[in-house]
């Protein structure tokens, strides 16, 4: 049975990216990040990688391998001595079906009355409902974060505002919101993000769901105003983007804004008040809120 060598280091005087580079240089075939303590990670600002104050960085190496050479290479890249490396754990693993491991923990989720997010290894639980087939990936957005859940529930519960209407997904991540809008009947969806990985993920996920999403990087994004504008980012960038997002909304269009803490609602309302009237009360989950507005004609 095949074995693997796993080496975990803790960030501190080094950034996680520096350790990542060192492990890859030493021959790691995969590198993962995890929390060294117990800090929650919120959805990141555009262009940011969500990291913890103390991060564990783990490299996975195929065996047989020269473990001493791995340590030597990592130390060289980090410009330190082998005995000074912030090693937390070194471990030998039996061959594991990694795909099966996440399958056992990732299940279909229903949002509202009309929408499921379902991993690709499962059959849609209710074929008569709209279903997005989606697996965890590098880009954010599988429905597990409260902000994403709020948006998906809104789409499900406002199907009449989605069906046969145009949509924009601004800061698309995995593309889950745009794809959900399309499977709920949106006639078109334009999407954008500043992360190339998000563009790639959105195209792949859209193809998997047999829908088309017109998705490009933000510096290339140009779209006609839409009937529905969706932005699941964070409060500060949403505030900065208020005029831009307002320009992308048709008169009487719906806008849904998420990635907002309840304490940030007033700031968002103030930023968008010149263009939108708000539909209250706002939906919330676990301290997160979704702000829904309608653009004045």
């Amino acid at each position: 049975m095949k074995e693997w060598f796993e080496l975990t280091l803790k960030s501190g005087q080094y950034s996680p990216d520096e350790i990542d580079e060192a492990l890859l240089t030493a021959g790691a075939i995969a590198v993962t990040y995890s929390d060294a303590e117990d800090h929650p990670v919120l959805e990141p600002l555009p262009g940011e990688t969500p990291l913890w104050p103390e991060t564990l960085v783990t490299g996975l190496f195929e065996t047989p391998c020269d473990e001493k050479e791995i340590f030597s290479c990592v130390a060289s890249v980090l410009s330190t001595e082998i005995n000074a490396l912030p090693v937390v754990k070194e471990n030998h693993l039996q061959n594991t079906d990694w795909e099966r491991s996440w399958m056992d923990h990732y299940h279909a989720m229903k949002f509202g009355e009309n929408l499921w997010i379902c991993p690709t290894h499962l059959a849609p639980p209710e074929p008569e409902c709209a279903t997005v087939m989606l697996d965890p990936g590098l880009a954010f957005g599988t429905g597990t974060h409260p902000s994403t859940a709020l948006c998906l529930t809104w789409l499900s519960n406002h199907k009449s505002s989605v069906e046969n209407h145009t949509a924009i997904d601004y800061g698309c991540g995995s593309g889950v919101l745009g794809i959900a809008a399309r499977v709920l009947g949106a006639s078109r969806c334009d999407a954008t993000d500043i992360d190339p990985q998000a563009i790639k993920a959105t195209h792949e996920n859209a193809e998997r769901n047999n829908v088309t999403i017109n998705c490009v990087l933000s510096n290339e994004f140009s779209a006609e105003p839409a009937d529905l504008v969706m932005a699941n980012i964070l409060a500060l960038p949403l505030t900065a983007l208020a005029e831009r997002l307002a320009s992308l909304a048709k008169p009487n269009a719906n806008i849904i804004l998420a990635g907002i803490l309840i304490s940030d609602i007033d700031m968002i309302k103030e930023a968008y008040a010149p263009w939108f009237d708000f539909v209250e009360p706002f939906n919330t989950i676990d301290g997160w809120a979704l702000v829904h507005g309608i653009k004045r004609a």
Side-chain angles (χ1 to χ4, degrees):
M1 180 177 290
K2 186 174 180 61
E3 288 191 352
W4 306 84
F5 174 61
E6 190 179 60
L7 177 61
T8 300
L9 295 89
K10 185 176 182 180
S11 67
Q13 60 175 316
Y14 308 104
S15 71
D17 286 344
E18 289 175 322
I19 298 176
D20 184 320
E21 180 183 0
L23 291 168
L24 290 174
T25 302
I29 64 167
V31 177
T32 58
Y33 294 9
S34 59
D35 187 7
E37 298 177 16
D38 187 24
H39 300 282
V41 168
L42 308 180
E43 296 232 348
L45 290 168
E48 288 188 345
T49 300
L51 298 178
W52 301 268
E54 291 288 350
T55 303
L56 299 180
V57 186
T58 300
L60 186 69
F61 299 84
E62 289 187 286
T63 59
C65 60
D66 188 332
E67 295 172 21
K68 290 183 179 179
E69 182 61 29
I70 290 172
F71 278 89
S72 177
C73 181
V74 171
S76 175
V77 174
L78 295 177
S79 302
T80 189
E81 301 295 325
I82 292 178
N83 60 7
L85 287 172
V87 175
V88 173
K89 180 176 65 175
E90 48 184 297
N91 193 24
H92 290 86
L93 307 171
Q94 295 295 319
N95 192 38
T96 302
D97 185 344
W98 301 108
E99 183 177 10
R100 175 58 56 185
S101 177
W102 73 256
M103 283 182 178
D104 290 341
H105 294 91
Y106 187 53
H107 307 288
M109 297 171 287
K110 190 174 186 181
F111 300 91
E113 294 299 319
N114 302 298
L115 180 64
W116 284 89
I117 305 297
C118 184
T120 57
H121 67 282
L122 296 177
E126 294 181 298
E128 67 276 13
C129 291
T131 301
V132 176
M133 306 302 294
L134 186 69
D135 292 333
L138 292 178
F140 266 78
T142 57
T144 57
H145 191 278
S147 291
T148 309
L150 285 165
C151 292
L152 293 170
T153 301
W154 189 96
L155 290 172
S156 177
N157 292 341
H158 294 79
K159 187 176 179 181
S160 62
S161 296
V162 179
E163 196 169 24
N164 299 319
H165 290 78
T166 56
I168 289 174
D169 184 1
Y170 205 97
C172 56
S174 67
V176 62
L177 299 186
I179 295 168
R182 290 287 276 130
V183 301
L184 284 164
S187 59
R188 176 186 174 94
C189 182
D190 297 298
T192 187
D193 203 291
I194 66 171
D195 184 356
Q197 179 61 46
I199 307 304
K200 180 175 183 291
T202 295
H203 283 140
E204 290 176 351
N205 289 329
E207 183 177 359
R208 182 179 294 119
N209 285 276
N210 299 311
V211 298
T212 300
I213 303 287
N214 309 298
C215 186
V216 297
L217 289 168
S218 296
N219 60 0
E220 304 169 0
F221 185 68
S222 176
E224 294 294 321
D227 302 302
L228 169 64
V229 176
M230 306 173 287
N232 180 21
I233 312 177
L234 279 176
L236 288 178
L238 283 175
T239 301
L241 286 166
E243 185 171 359
R244 170 63 170 153
L245 295 183
S247 72
L248 293 172
K250 291 181 179 179
N252 300 311
N254 289 287
I255 189 168
I256 56 171
L257 307 169
I260 301 164
L261 295 172
I262 292 175
S263 58
D264 294 327
I265 288 176
D266 287 344
M267 177 174 68
I268 295 297
K269 289 174 63 178
E270 181 178 353
Y272 285 80
W275 304 278
F276 295 91
D277 295 318
F278 303 103
V279 182
E280 301 189 46
F282 300 127
N283 294 328
T284 63
I285 301 177
D286 296 336
W288 295 87
L290 180 145
V291 170
H292 171 205
I294 299 176
K295 190 174 183 183
R296 288 189 288 275

